[in-house]
Amino acid sequence: MQSLFWSVEEVARRAKEFYENGIRQQVEHGDNIGKMITIDAETGEYGIDKTGIETAMNLKQKKPMARLFTMRIGYDVAFSFGGVPLNRTVK
């Protein structure tokens, strides 16, 4: 039975656990580096595409209440938001 509520952190933790414990070895190769992977944090089912949107929609069609987490393959961060590099100061 599905839990009624998982925090964002819990969804991320579970999805990353699936990724580290098996998915990574299957998907981290030249063709997939830089693409987005969307993981169902409850089942470990996943899909890969350029933006993650198509995969997320497909997973939601199969399971509307799925808790999904999307990340970029081969990188620690999926998105970064503007700012100043750490070695520079703002004037």
Side-chain angles (χ1 to χ4, degrees):
M1 185 171 136
Q2 217 174 25
S3 171
L4 294 177
F5 179 78
W6 286 356
S7 67
V8 172
E9 294 82 10
E10 180 67 6
V11 171
R13 185 192 68 75
R14 288 173 182 256
K16 288 177 183 179
E17 193 172 289
F18 278 117
Y19 189 79
E20 294 300 328
N21 293 327
I23 296 173
R24 176 190 294 265
Q25 293 80 13
Q26 298 172 33
V27 302
E28 280 196 6
H29 54 78
D31 293 344
N32 288 333
I33 301 298
K35 290 183 180 178
M36 303 299 283
I37 182 169
T38 302
I39 303 169
D40 181 327
E42 186 173 13
T43 66
E45 184 177 359
Y46 67 91
I48 299 169
D49 67 55
K50 187 175 179 180
T51 64
I53 295 170
E54 187 176 325
T55 297
M57 291 173 56
N58 290 338
L59 290 171
K60 282 289 193 178
Q61 278 183 340
K62 291 181 186 176
K63 188 175 165 194
M65 298 299 289
R67 289 150 175 120
L68 304 177
F69 182 77
T70 299
M71 57 191 259
R72 191 172 302 280
I73 297 172
Y75 296 88
D76 291 334
V77 178
F79 297 99
S80 65
F81 296 95
V84 177
L86 295 176
N87 61 352
R88 293 198 170 178
T89 57
V90 178
K91 294 182 181 183

Coordinates of all heavy atoms in Angstrom, one line a residue:
M1 N 0.8 -1.2 0.0 CA 0.0 0.0 0.0 C 0.9 1.2 0.0 O 1.9 1.3 0.7 CB -0.9 0.0 1.2 CG -1.9 1.1 1.2 SD -3.1 0.9 2.6 CE -3.1 2.5 3.2
Q2 N 0.5 2.2 -0.8 CA 1.2 3.5 -0.9 C 1.1 4.4 0.3 O 0.0 4.5 0.8 CB 0.7 4.2 -2.1 CG 1.8 4.9 -2.9 CD 1.2 5.4 -4.2 OE1 0.0 5.7 -4.3 NE2 2.0 5.6 -5.2
S3 N 2.2 4.9 0.8 CA 2.1 5.9 1.9 C 1.4 7.1 1.4 O 1.4 7.5 0.2 CB 3.5 6.3 2.3 OG 3.5 7.3 3.2
L4 N 0.6 7.8 2.3 CA -0.1 8.9 1.9 C 0.8 10.1 1.6 O 0.4 10.9 0.8 CB -1.1 9.3 3.0 CG -2.2 8.3 3.3 CD1 -3.1 8.7 4.5 CD2 -3.1 8.1 2.1
F5 N 1.9 10.3 2.3 CA 2.7 11.4 2.1 C 4.2 11.1 2.2 O 4.6 10.4 3.2 CB 2.4 12.5 3.1 CG 3.2 13.7 2.9 CD1 3.0 14.7 1.9 CD2 4.3 14.0 3.8 CE1 3.8 15.8 1.8 CE2 5.1 15.1 3.7 CZ 4.8 16.0 2.7
W6 N 5.0 11.5 1.2 CA 6.4 11.4 1.3 C 7.0 12.8 1.1 O 6.5 13.5 0.2 CB 7.0 10.5 0.2 CG 6.9 9.0 0.4 CD1 6.3 8.4 1.5 CD2 7.2 8.0 -0.5 NE1 6.3 7.0 1.3 CE2 6.9 6.8 0.1 CE3 7.8 8.0 -1.7 CZ2 7.1 5.6 -0.5 CZ3 8.1 6.8 -2.4 CH2 7.7 5.6 -1.8
S7 N 7.9 13.2 1.8 CA 8.5 14.5 1.6 C 9.3 14.5 0.3 O 9.7 13.4 -0.2 CB 9.5 14.9 2.8 OG 10.6 14.0 2.8
V8 N 9.6 15.7 -0.2 CA 10.4 15.8 -1.4 C 11.8 15.1 -1.2 O 12.3 14.4 -2.0 CB 10.6 17.3 -1.8 CG1 11.6 17.4 -2.9 CG2 9.3 17.9 -2.1
E9 N 12.3 15.3 0.0 CA 13.6 14.7 0.4 C 13.5 13.1 0.4 O 14.5 12.5 -0.1 CB 14.1 15.1 1.8 CG 14.4 16.6 1.8 CD 13.2 17.5 2.0 OE1 12.1 17.0 2.3 OE2 13.4 18.7 1.8
E10 N 12.4 12.6 0.8 CA 12.3 11.1 0.8 C 12.1 10.6 -0.6 O 12.7 9.5 -0.9 CB 11.0 10.8 1.7 CG 10.8 9.3 1.8 CD 11.8 8.5 2.5 OE1 12.7 9.1 3.1 OE2 11.7 7.2 2.5
V11 N 11.4 11.3 -1.4 CA 11.3 10.8 -2.8 C 12.7 10.8 -3.5 O 13.1 9.9 -4.1 CB 10.3 11.7 -3.6 CG1 10.4 11.4 -5.1 CG2 8.9 11.6 -3.1
A12 N 13.4 11.9 -3.3 CA 14.8 12.0 -3.8 C 15.7 10.9 -3.3 O 16.4 10.3 -4.0 CB 15.4 13.4 -3.5
R13 N 15.6 10.7 -2.0 CA 16.5 9.7 -1.4 C 16.2 8.3 -1.9 O 17.1 7.6 -2.3 CB 16.3 9.7 0.1 CG 17.2 8.7 0.9 CD 16.8 8.5 2.3 NE 15.6 7.7 2.5 CZ 15.4 6.4 2.3 NH1 16.4 5.7 1.9 NH2 14.2 5.9 2.4
R14 N 14.9 8.0 -2.0 CA 14.6 6.6 -2.5 C 15.0 6.5 -4.0 O 15.5 5.4 -4.4 CB 13.1 6.4 -2.4 CG 12.7 6.2 -0.9 CD 11.1 6.1 -0.8 NE 10.7 6.0 0.5 CZ 10.2 4.8 1.0 NH1 10.2 3.8 0.3 NH2 9.9 4.8 2.3
A15 N 14.7 7.5 -4.8 CA 15.0 7.4 -6.2 C 16.6 7.3 -6.4 O 17.0 6.5 -7.2 CB 14.5 8.6 -7.0
K16 N 17.3 8.1 -5.7 CA 18.8 8.0 -5.8 C 19.3 6.7 -5.3 O 20.3 6.2 -5.9 CB 19.4 9.1 -5.0 CG 19.2 10.5 -5.6 CD 19.8 11.6 -4.7 CE 19.6 13.0 -5.3 NZ 20.1 14.0 -4.5
E17 N 18.6 6.1 -4.4 CA 19.0 4.7 -3.9 C 18.8 3.7 -5.0 O 19.7 2.9 -5.3 CB 18.2 4.3 -2.7 CG 18.7 3.1 -1.9 CD 17.9 2.9 -0.7 OE1 18.1 3.7 0.3 OE2 17.1 2.0 -0.6
F18 N 17.7 3.8 -5.7 CA 17.5 2.9 -6.9 C 18.6 3.1 -7.9 O 19.1 2.2 -8.5 CB 16.1 3.1 -7.5 CG 15.0 2.4 -6.9 CD1 13.9 3.1 -6.3 CD2 14.9 1.0 -6.9 CE1 12.9 2.5 -5.7 CE2 13.8 0.4 -6.3 CZ 12.8 1.1 -5.7
Y19 N 18.9 4.4 -8.2 CA 19.9 4.7 -9.2 C 21.3 4.2 -8.8 O 21.9 3.5 -9.6 CB 20.0 6.3 -9.3 CG 20.8 6.7 -10.5 CD1 20.3 6.7 -11.8 CD2 22.1 7.2 -10.3 CE1 21.1 7.1 -12.9 CE2 22.9 7.6 -11.4 CZ 22.4 7.5 -12.6 OH 23.2 7.9 -13.7
E20 N 21.7 4.4 -7.6 CA 23.0 3.9 -7.1 C 23.1 2.4 -7.0 O 24.2 1.8 -7.2 CB 23.4 4.5 -5.8 CG 23.6 6.0 -5.8 CD 24.7 6.4 -6.8 OE1 25.7 5.7 -6.9 OE2 24.6 7.5 -7.4
N21 N 22.0 1.7 -6.8 CA 22.0 0.3 -6.5 C 21.6 -0.5 -7.7 O 21.1 -1.6 -7.6 CB 21.1 -0.1 -5.3 CG 21.6 0.4 -4.0 OD1 22.8 0.5 -3.8 ND2 20.7 0.8 -3.1
G22 N 21.9 0.0 -8.9 CA 21.6 -0.9 -10.1 C 21.3 -0.1 -11.4 O 21.8 -0.5 -12.5
I23 N 20.6 1.0 -11.3 CA 20.2 1.7 -12.5 C 21.5 2.3 -13.2 O 21.7 2.3 -14.4 CB 19.1 2.7 -12.3 CG1 17.8 2.1 -11.9 CG2 18.9 3.6 -13.5 CD1 16.7 3.0 -11.4
R24 N 22.3 2.9 -12.3 CA 23.5 3.6 -12.8 C 24.3 2.7 -13.8 O 24.7 3.2 -14.8 CB 24.4 4.1 -11.7 CG 25.7 4.7 -12.1 CD 26.7 5.0 -11.0 NE 26.2 5.9 -10.0 CZ 26.5 7.2 -10.0 NH1 27.3 7.7 -11.0 NH2 26.0 8.0 -9.1
Q25 N 24.6 1.5 -13.4 CA 25.4 0.6 -14.2 C 24.8 0.3 -15.6 O 25.5 0.1 -16.5 CB 25.7 -0.7 -13.5 CG 26.5 -0.6 -12.2 CD 25.8 -0.1 -11.0 OE1 24.5 0.0 -11.0 NE2 26.5 0.3 -10.0
Q26 N 23.5 0.4 -15.6 CA 22.8 0.1 -16.9 C 22.7 1.4 -17.8 O 22.6 1.2 -19.0 CB 21.3 -0.3 -16.6 CG 21.2 -1.6 -15.8 CD 19.8 -1.9 -15.4 OE1 18.9 -1.6 -16.1 NE2 19.6 -2.5 -14.2
V27 N 22.7 2.6 -17.2 CA 22.4 3.7 -18.1 C 23.6 4.7 -18.3 O 23.5 5.5 -19.2 CB 21.2 4.5 -17.5 CG1 20.0 3.7 -17.4 CG2 21.5 5.2 -16.2
E28 N 24.6 4.7 -17.5 CA 25.7 5.6 -17.6 C 26.7 5.2 -18.7 O 27.7 4.5 -18.4 CB 26.4 5.9 -16.3 CG 25.6 6.9 -15.4 CD 26.4 7.5 -14.3 OE1 27.6 7.3 -14.2 OE2 25.8 8.2 -13.5
H29 N 26.4 5.5 -19.9 CA 27.3 5.2 -21.0 C 27.1 6.4 -22.0 O 26.2 7.2 -21.9 CB 27.0 3.9 -21.7 CG 25.6 3.6 -22.1 ND1 25.1 4.2 -23.3 CD2 24.6 3.0 -21.5 CE1 23.8 3.8 -23.4 NE2 23.5 3.1 -22.3
G30 N 28.0 6.5 -22.9 CA 28.1 7.6 -23.9 C 26.8 8.1 -24.4 O 26.6 9.3 -24.5
D31 N 26.0 7.3 -24.9 CA 24.7 7.7 -25.5 C 23.8 8.4 -24.5 O 23.0 9.2 -25.0 CB 24.0 6.5 -26.1 CG 24.7 5.9 -27.3 OD1 25.6 6.6 -27.9 OD2 24.4 4.8 -27.7
N32 N 23.8 8.1 -23.3 CA 22.9 8.6 -22.3 C 23.4 9.8 -21.5 O 22.6 10.5 -20.9 CB 22.4 7.5 -21.3 CG 21.5 6.5 -22.0 OD1 20.8 6.8 -22.9 ND2 21.5 5.3 -21.5
I33 N 24.7 10.0 -21.5 CA 25.3 11.1 -20.7 C 24.7 12.4 -21.1 O 24.6 12.7 -22.3 CB 26.8 11.1 -20.8 CG1 27.5 9.8 -20.3 CG2 27.4 12.3 -20.0 CD1 27.2 9.4 -18.9
G34 N 24.1 13.1 -20.1 CA 23.5 14.4 -20.4 C 22.0 14.3 -20.6 O 21.3 15.3 -20.5
K35 N 21.5 13.1 -20.8 CA 20.0 13.0 -20.9 C 19.4 12.9 -19.5 O 20.1 12.8 -18.5 CB 19.6 11.7 -21.7 CG 20.0 11.7 -23.1 CD 19.5 10.4 -23.8 CE 19.9 10.5 -25.3 NZ 19.5 9.2 -25.9
M36 N 18.1 13.0 -19.5 CA 17.4 13.0 -18.2 C 16.8 11.6 -17.9 O 16.2 11.0 -18.8 CB 16.3 14.1 -18.2 CG 16.7 15.5 -18.5 SD 17.9 16.1 -17.3 CE 16.8 16.5 -15.9
I37 N 16.9 11.2 -16.7 CA 16.3 10.0 -16.2 C 15.2 10.3 -15.2 O 15.4 11.1 -14.3 CB 17.3 9.0 -15.7 CG1 16.6 7.6 -15.3 CG2 18.1 9.5 -14.5 CD1 17.6 6.5 -15.0
T38 N 14.0 9.7 -15.4 CA 12.9 9.9 -14.4 C 12.7 8.6 -13.7 O 12.5 7.6 -14.4 CB 11.7 10.4 -15.1 OG1 12.0 11.7 -15.8 CG2 10.5 10.6 -14.1
I39 N 12.7 8.6 -12.4 CA 12.6 7.3 -11.6 C 11.4 7.4 -10.8 O 11.2 8.4 -10.1 CB 13.9 7.1 -10.8 CG1 15.1 7.1 -11.6 CG2 13.8 5.8 -9.9 CD1 16.4 7.2 -10.8
D40 N 10.6 6.3 -10.8 CA 9.5 6.1 -9.8 C 10.1 5.7 -8.5 O 10.8 4.7 -8.4 CB 8.5 5.0 -10.3 CG 7.4 4.8 -9.4 OD1 7.5 5.0 -8.2 OD2 6.3 4.5 -9.9
A41 N 10.0 6.6 -7.5 CA 10.7 6.4 -6.2 C 10.1 5.2 -5.4 O 10.7 4.7 -4.5 CB 10.6 7.6 -5.4
E42 N 9.0 4.7 -5.8 CA 8.4 3.6 -5.1 C 8.8 2.2 -5.7 O 9.1 1.3 -5.0 CB 6.9 3.7 -5.0 CG 6.2 2.6 -4.2 CD 4.8 2.8 -4.0 OE1 4.2 3.6 -4.7 OE2 4.2 2.1 -3.1
T43 N 8.8 2.2 -7.1 CA 9.0 0.9 -7.8 C 10.4 0.8 -8.4 O 10.9 -0.3 -8.7 CB 8.0 0.7 -8.9 OG1 8.2 1.7 -9.9 CG2 6.6 0.8 -8.4
G44 N 11.1 1.9 -8.7 CA 12.4 1.9 -9.4 C 12.2 1.8 -10.9 O 13.2 1.8 -11.6
E45 N 11.0 1.8 -11.4 CA 10.8 1.9 -12.8 C 11.3 3.2 -13.3 O 11.2 4.2 -12.6 CB 9.3 1.7 -13.2 CG 9.0 1.7 -14.6 CD 7.6 1.5 -15.0 OE1 6.7 1.3 -14.0 OE2 7.2 1.5 -16.2
Y46 N 11.9 3.3 -14.5 CA 12.5 4.5 -15.0 C 12.4 4.6 -16.5 O 12.1 3.6 -17.2 CB 14.0 4.6 -14.5 CG 14.9 3.6 -15.2 CD1 15.5 3.9 -16.4 CD2 15.1 2.4 -14.6 CE1 16.4 3.0 -17.0 CE2 15.9 1.4 -15.2 CZ 16.6 1.8 -16.4 OH 17.4 0.8 -17.0
G47 N 12.6 5.8 -17.0 CA 12.7 6.0 -18.4 C 13.7 7.2 -18.6 O 14.0 7.9 -17.7
I48 N 14.2 7.2 -19.9 CA 15.2 8.2 -20.2 C 14.8 8.9 -21.5 O 14.3 8.3 -22.4 CB 16.6 7.5 -20.5 CG1 17.0 6.8 -19.3 CG2 17.6 8.5 -21.0 CD1 18.2 5.8 -19.5
D49 N 14.9 10.2 -21.5 CA 14.7 11.0 -22.7 C 15.5 12.3 -22.5 O 16.2 12.6 -21.5 CB 13.2 11.3 -23.0 CG 12.5 12.1 -22.0 OD1 12.9 13.3 -21.7 OD2 11.5 11.7 -21.5
K50 N 15.4 13.2 -23.6 CA 16.2 14.4 -23.6 C 15.9 15.4 -22.5 O 16.8 16.0 -21.9 CB 16.1 15.1 -24.9 CG 17.0 16.2 -25.1 CD 16.9 16.8 -26.6 CE 17.9 18.0 -26.7 NZ 17.8 18.5 -28.0
T51 N 14.6 15.5 -22.2 CA 14.2 16.5 -21.2 C 13.6 15.9 -19.9 O 13.4 16.7 -18.9 CB 13.1 17.5 -21.8 OG1 11.9 16.7 -22.1 CG2 13.6 18.2 -23.0
G52 N 13.2 14.7 -20.0 CA 12.5 14.1 -18.8 C 11.0 14.2 -18.8 O 10.3 13.5 -18.1
I53 N 10.5 15.1 -19.7 CA 9.0 15.4 -19.7 C 8.2 14.2 -20.2 O 7.3 13.7 -19.7 CB 8.7 16.7 -20.4 CG1 9.4 17.8 -19.7 CG2 7.3 16.9 -20.6 CD1 9.4 19.1 -20.5
E54 N 8.7 13.7 -21.4 CA 8.0 12.6 -22.0 C 7.9 11.3 -21.1 O 6.9 10.7 -20.9 CB 8.6 12.2 -23.4 CG 7.8 11.2 -24.2 CD 8.5 11.0 -25.5 OE1 9.0 11.9 -26.1 OE2 8.4 9.8 -26.0
T55 N 9.1 11.0 -20.5 CA 9.2 9.9 -19.6 C 8.3 10.1 -18.4 O 7.6 9.1 -18.0 CB 10.6 9.7 -19.2 OG1 11.4 9.4 -20.3 CG2 10.7 8.5 -18.2
A56 N 8.3 11.3 -17.8 CA 7.4 11.5 -16.7 C 5.9 11.4 -17.0 O 5.2 10.8 -16.3 CB 7.7 12.9 -16.1
M57 N 5.6 11.8 -18.2 CA 4.2 11.7 -18.6 C 3.8 10.2 -18.8 O 2.7 9.8 -18.4 CB 3.9 12.5 -19.9 CG 4.0 14.0 -19.7 SD 3.9 15.0 -21.2 CE 2.4 14.4 -21.9
N58 N 4.7 9.4 -19.4 CA 4.4 8.0 -19.6 C 4.3 7.3 -18.3 O 3.4 6.4 -18.1 CB 5.5 7.4 -20.5 CG 5.5 7.8 -21.9 OD1 4.5 8.3 -22.4 ND2 6.7 7.7 -22.6
L59 N 5.2 7.6 -17.3 CA 5.1 6.9 -16.0 C 3.9 7.3 -15.3 O 3.2 6.5 -14.6 CB 6.4 7.3 -15.2 CG 7.7 6.6 -15.7 CD1 8.9 7.2 -14.9 CD2 7.6 5.1 -15.5
K60 N 3.4 8.6 -15.4 CA 2.2 9.0 -14.8 C 1.0 8.4 -15.4 O 0.0 8.2 -14.7 CB 2.1 10.6 -14.8 CG 2.9 11.3 -13.8 CD 2.4 11.1 -12.4 CE 3.0 12.0 -11.4 NZ 2.5 11.8 -10.1
Q61 N 1.0 8.1 -16.7 CA -0.1 7.5 -17.4 C -0.3 6.0 -16.8 O -1.4 5.6 -16.6 CB 0.1 7.4 -18.9 CG -0.3 8.6 -19.6 CD -0.1 8.5 -21.1 OE1 0.6 7.6 -21.6 NE2 -0.8 9.4 -21.8
K62 N 0.8 5.4 -16.6 CA 0.8 4.0 -16.0 C 0.3 4.0 -14.6 O -0.4 3.1 -14.1 CB 2.1 3.4 -16.1 CG 2.6 3.0 -17.5 CD 4.0 2.4 -17.4 CE 4.6 2.1 -18.7 NZ 6.0 1.6 -18.6
K63 N 0.8 5.0 -13.8 CA 0.5 5.1 -12.4 C 0.4 6.5 -12.0 O 1.4 7.2 -11.7 CB 1.7 4.4 -11.7 CG 1.5 4.3 -10.2 CD 2.7 3.5 -9.6 CE 2.8 3.6 -8.1 NZ 4.0 3.2 -7.6
P64 N -0.9 7.1 -12.0 CA -1.1 8.5 -11.8 C -0.6 9.0 -10.4 O -0.2 10.2 -10.3 CB -2.6 8.6 -11.8 CG -3.0 7.5 -12.7 CD -2.1 6.4 -12.4
M65 N -0.5 8.2 -9.4 CA 0.0 8.7 -8.1 C 1.5 8.4 -7.9 O 2.0 8.5 -6.8 CB -0.8 8.0 -7.0 CG -2.3 8.3 -7.0 SD -2.6 10.0 -6.8 CE -2.2 10.2 -5.1
A66 N 2.2 8.1 -9.0 CA 3.7 7.8 -8.9 C 4.4 9.1 -8.3 O 4.1 10.2 -8.7 CB 4.2 7.5 -10.2
R67 N 5.4 8.8 -7.5 CA 6.3 9.8 -7.0 C 7.5 9.8 -7.8 O 8.3 8.8 -7.7 CB 6.6 9.6 -5.5 CG 5.3 9.8 -4.7 CD 5.3 9.0 -3.5 NE 4.2 9.3 -2.6 CZ 3.3 8.4 -2.3 NH1 3.4 7.2 -2.8 NH2 2.3 8.7 -1.5
L68 N 7.7 10.8 -8.6 CA 8.8 10.7 -9.6 C 9.9 11.7 -9.2 O 9.7 12.7 -8.6 CB 8.3 11.1 -11.0 CG 7.1 10.3 -11.5 CD1 6.6 10.8 -12.9 CD2 7.5 8.8 -11.6
F69 N 11.1 11.3 -9.6 CA 12.3 12.1 -9.4 C 13.1 12.1 -10.7 O 13.3 11.0 -11.3 CB 13.2 11.5 -8.3 CG 14.4 12.4 -8.0 CD1 14.3 13.5 -7.2 CD2 15.6 12.0 -8.4 CE1 15.4 14.3 -6.9 CE2 16.8 12.7 -8.1 CZ 16.6 13.9 -7.4
T70 N 13.5 13.3 -11.2 CA 14.2 13.4 -12.4 C 15.6 14.0 -12.2 O 15.7 14.9 -11.4 CB 13.4 14.3 -13.4 OG1 12.2 13.7 -13.7 CG2 14.2 14.5 -14.7
M71 N 16.6 13.4 -12.8 CA 18.0 13.9 -12.7 C 18.7 13.7 -14.0 O 18.3 12.9 -14.9 CB 18.7 13.2 -11.6 CG 18.7 11.7 -11.7 SD 19.3 10.9 -10.2 CE 21.0 10.6 -10.6
R72 N 19.8 14.4 -14.2 CA 20.6 14.3 -15.4 C 21.6 13.2 -15.2 O 22.3 13.1 -14.2 CB 21.3 15.6 -15.7 CG 22.0 15.7 -17.1 CD 22.5 17.0 -17.4 NE 21.5 18.1 -17.4 CZ 20.6 18.3 -18.4 NH1 20.6 17.6 -19.5 NH2 19.7 19.3 -18.3
I73 N 21.7 12.3 -16.2 CA 22.6 11.2 -16.2 C 24.0 11.6 -16.3 O 24.4 12.4 -17.3 CB 22.2 10.2 -17.3 CG1 20.8 9.6 -17.1 CG2 23.3 9.0 -17.4 CD1 20.3 8.8 -18.2
G74 N 24.9 11.2 -15.4 CA 26.3 11.5 -15.5 C 26.7 12.8 -14.8 O 27.8 13.2 -14.8
Y75 N 25.7 13.5 -14.2 CA 26.0 14.7 -13.5 C 25.4 14.6 -12.1 O 24.4 13.9 -11.8 CB 25.4 15.9 -14.2 CG 26.0 16.1 -15.6 CD1 25.4 15.5 -16.7 CD2 27.0 17.0 -15.7 CE1 26.0 15.7 -17.9 CE2 27.6 17.2 -17.0 CZ 27.0 16.5 -18.1 OH 27.6 16.7 -19.3
D76 N 26.0 15.4 -11.1 CA 25.4 15.5 -9.8 C 24.2 16.4 -9.7 O 23.4 16.2 -8.7 CB 26.5 15.9 -8.8 CG 27.6 14.9 -8.6 OD1 27.3 13.7 -8.8 OD2 28.7 15.3 -8.3
V77 N 24.1 17.3 -10.6 CA 23.0 18.3 -10.5 C 22.2 18.3 -11.9 O 22.9 18.3 -12.9 CB 23.6 19.7 -10.3 CG1 22.5 20.7 -10.2 CG2 24.4 19.7 -9.0
A78 N 20.9 18.3 -11.8 CA 20.1 18.3 -13.0 C 20.0 19.8 -13.6 O 20.1 20.0 -14.7 CB 18.7 17.8 -12.7
F79 N 19.8 20.7 -12.7 CA 19.7 22.1 -13.1 C 20.5 23.0 -12.2 O 20.6 22.7 -11.0 CB 18.2 22.5 -13.0 CG 17.3 21.8 -13.9 CD1 16.5 20.7 -13.5 CD2 17.2 22.1 -15.3 CE1 15.7 20.0 -14.3 CE2 16.4 21.4 -16.1 CZ 15.6 20.3 -15.6
S80 N 20.9 24.1 -12.7 CA 21.5 25.1 -11.8 C 20.9 26.4 -12.2 O 20.4 26.6 -13.3 CB 23.1 25.2 -12.0 OG 23.4 25.6 -13.3
F81 N 20.8 27.2 -11.2 CA 20.2 28.5 -11.4 C 21.2 29.6 -11.3 O 22.2 29.5 -10.5 CB 19.1 28.8 -10.3 CG 18.0 27.8 -10.4 CD1 18.0 26.6 -9.7 CD2 16.9 28.0 -11.4 CE1 17.0 25.7 -9.8 CE2 15.9 27.0 -11.5 CZ 15.9 25.9 -10.7
G82 N 21.1 30.7 -12.1 CA 22.1 31.7 -12.1 C 22.7 32.1 -10.8 O 22.3 31.7 -9.8
G83 N 23.8 32.8 -10.9 CA 24.5 33.2 -9.7 C 25.9 33.6 -10.1 O 26.3 33.7 -11.3
V84 N 26.7 33.8 -9.1 CA 28.1 34.2 -9.3 C 29.0 33.0 -8.9 O 28.8 32.3 -7.9 CB 28.4 35.4 -8.4 CG1 29.9 35.8 -8.5 CG2 27.5 36.5 -8.7
P85 N 30.0 32.7 -9.8 CA 30.9 31.6 -9.4 C 31.5 31.9 -8.0 O 31.7 33.0 -7.6 CB 32.0 31.7 -10.5 CG 31.3 32.4 -11.7 CD 30.3 33.3 -11.1
L86 N 31.8 30.8 -7.3 CA 32.3 30.9 -6.0 C 33.6 31.7 -5.8 O 33.9 32.3 -4.8 CB 32.5 29.5 -5.3 CG 31.2 28.8 -5.2 CD1 31.5 27.4 -4.6 CD2 30.2 29.5 -4.2
N87 N 34.4 31.7 -6.9 CA 35.7 32.4 -6.8 C 35.6 33.9 -7.2 O 36.6 34.6 -7.4 CB 36.8 31.7 -7.6 CG 36.4 31.6 -9.1 OD1 35.3 32.0 -9.5 ND2 37.3 31.1 -9.9
R88 N 34.4 34.4 -7.4 CA 34.2 35.8 -7.8 C 33.4 36.6 -6.8 O 32.6 36.0 -6.1 CB 33.5 35.9 -9.1 CG 34.4 35.4 -10.3 CD 33.8 35.9 -11.5 NE 34.7 35.5 -12.6 CZ 34.5 35.8 -13.9 NH1 33.4 36.4 -14.2 NH2 35.4 35.5 -14.8
T89 N 33.6 37.8 -6.7 CA 32.8 38.6 -5.8 C 31.8 39.5 -6.6 O 32.1 39.8 -7.8 CB 33.7 39.6 -5.0 OG1 34.4 40.4 -5.9 CG2 34.6 38.8 -4.1
V90 N 30.7 39.9 -6.0 CA 29.7 40.7 -6.6 C 30.1 42.1 -6.3 O 30.4 42.5 -5.2 CB 28.3 40.4 -6.1 CG1 27.3 41.3 -6.7 CG2 28.0 38.9 -6.3
K91 N 30.0 43.0 -7.4 CA 30.3 44.4 -7.1 C 29.1 45.2 -7.1 O 28.1 44.9 -7.6 CB 31.2 44.9 -8.3 CG 32.6 44.3 -8.3 CD 33.4 44.8 -9.4 CE 34.7 44.2 -9.3 NZ 35.7 44.7 -10.3

